[in-house]
């Protein structure tokens, strides 16, 4: 029997983990990767903002999603979000970590980790200048959002298998 479990969104930016330094200032040579990300999200109907860390912040179904742009060679973006683990979510820390590990092992691009009492889902992508960012970002935002549901499903399945002795 599966129980209904809620995961609460984390909206306190001071509680967010740091993933490196902010994107540098725009170059006089043209738009930065962050500029291109903001433009692509806007064209898809999102309302992107730049947070105090220099990340692009947008919301998907009310959940804050963050995009960190790395002006490296090759350029990279990290799309991530986090959810507080509600007290109703079953399992101890070890079982939750096992579910995160199982998800990361099965999915090619999605990384699932636990930080304190939060589930953090992230996708790192290399970006080529010829790539179309609009569909890439839309699909990646959905993958991050779906990742938390998949983690919860994996956790429930592992707990059910443990209880049945499988």
């Amino acid at each position: 029997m599966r129980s209904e479990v809620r995961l609460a969104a984390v909206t306190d930016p001071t509680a967010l983990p740091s993933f490196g330094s902010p994107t540098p200032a725009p170059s006089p040579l043209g738009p930065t990767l962050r500029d291109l990300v903001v433009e692509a999200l806007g064209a898809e109907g999102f309302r992107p903002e730049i947070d105090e860390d220099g990340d692009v912040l947008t919301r998907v179904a009310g959940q804050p999603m963050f995009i960190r742009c790395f002006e490296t060679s090759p350029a990279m973006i990290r799309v991530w979000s986090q959810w507080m683990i509600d007290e109703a979510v079953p399992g101890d820390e070890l079982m939750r970590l096992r579910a995160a590990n199982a998800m990361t092992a099965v999915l090619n691009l999605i990384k699932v980790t636990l930080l304190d009492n939060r589930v953090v889902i992230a996708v790192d992508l290399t970006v080529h200048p010829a790539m179309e960012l609009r569909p890439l970002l839309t699909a990646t935002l959905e993958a991050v959002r779906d990742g938390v549901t998949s983690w919860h499903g994996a956790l429930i399945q592992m707990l059910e298998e443990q209880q049945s002795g499988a």
Side-chain angles (χ1 to χ4, degrees):
M1 175 165 90
R2 294 188 183 226
S3 60
E4 185 83 19
V5 178
R6 297 178 329 205
L7 296 173
V10 173
T11 57
D12 177 10
T14 61
L16 302 175
S18 174
F19 287 113
S21 61
T23 303
S27 164
L29 303 174
T32 65
L33 178 57
R34 185 175 73 182
D35 295 336
L36 296 173
V37 165
V38 168
E39 180 182 321
L41 289 172
E44 285 294 310
F46 292 98
R47 295 183 184 159
E49 304 169 22
I50 307 300
D51 72 6
E52 62 275 359
D53 292 327
D55 295 329
V56 178
L57 164 65
T58 194
R59 294 184 184 279
V60 176
Q63 173 66 29
M65 301 280 193
F66 300 88
I67 302 168
R68 166 86 23 127
C69 299
F70 300 93
E71 298 283 352
T72 56
S73 184
M76 291 183 61
I77 59 174
R78 173 174 289 143
V79 181
W80 64 279
S81 193
Q82 62 180 353
W83 290 261
M84 294 296 295
I85 301 174
D86 191 87
E87 291 178 14
V89 175
D92 60 9
E93 182 181 25
L94 180 58
M95 190 58 75
R96 292 172 181 178
L97 285 167
R98 285 180 177 163
N101 187 49
M103 292 298 303
T104 300
V106 169
L107 301 172
N108 289 336
L109 299 173
I110 296 176
K111 292 183 267 184
V112 182
T113 190
L114 299 181
L115 180 66
D116 297 323
N117 202 29
R118 299 184 298 261
V119 176
V120 181
I121 312 287
V123 175
D124 290 338
L125 301 168
T126 56
V127 181
H128 186 275
M131 292 175 80
E132 283 201 44
L133 285 177
R134 287 172 62 178
L136 177 67
L137 289 170
T138 301
T140 305
L141 288 167
E142 283 301 313
V144 169
R145 186 168 169 247
D146 291 345
V148 73
T149 304
S150 297
W151 169 81
H152 184 260
L155 175 63
I156 296 298
Q157 181 179 353
M158 292 173 87
L159 288 167
E160 287 174 352
E161 289 171 359
Q162 183 182 48
Q163 289 175 352
S164 70

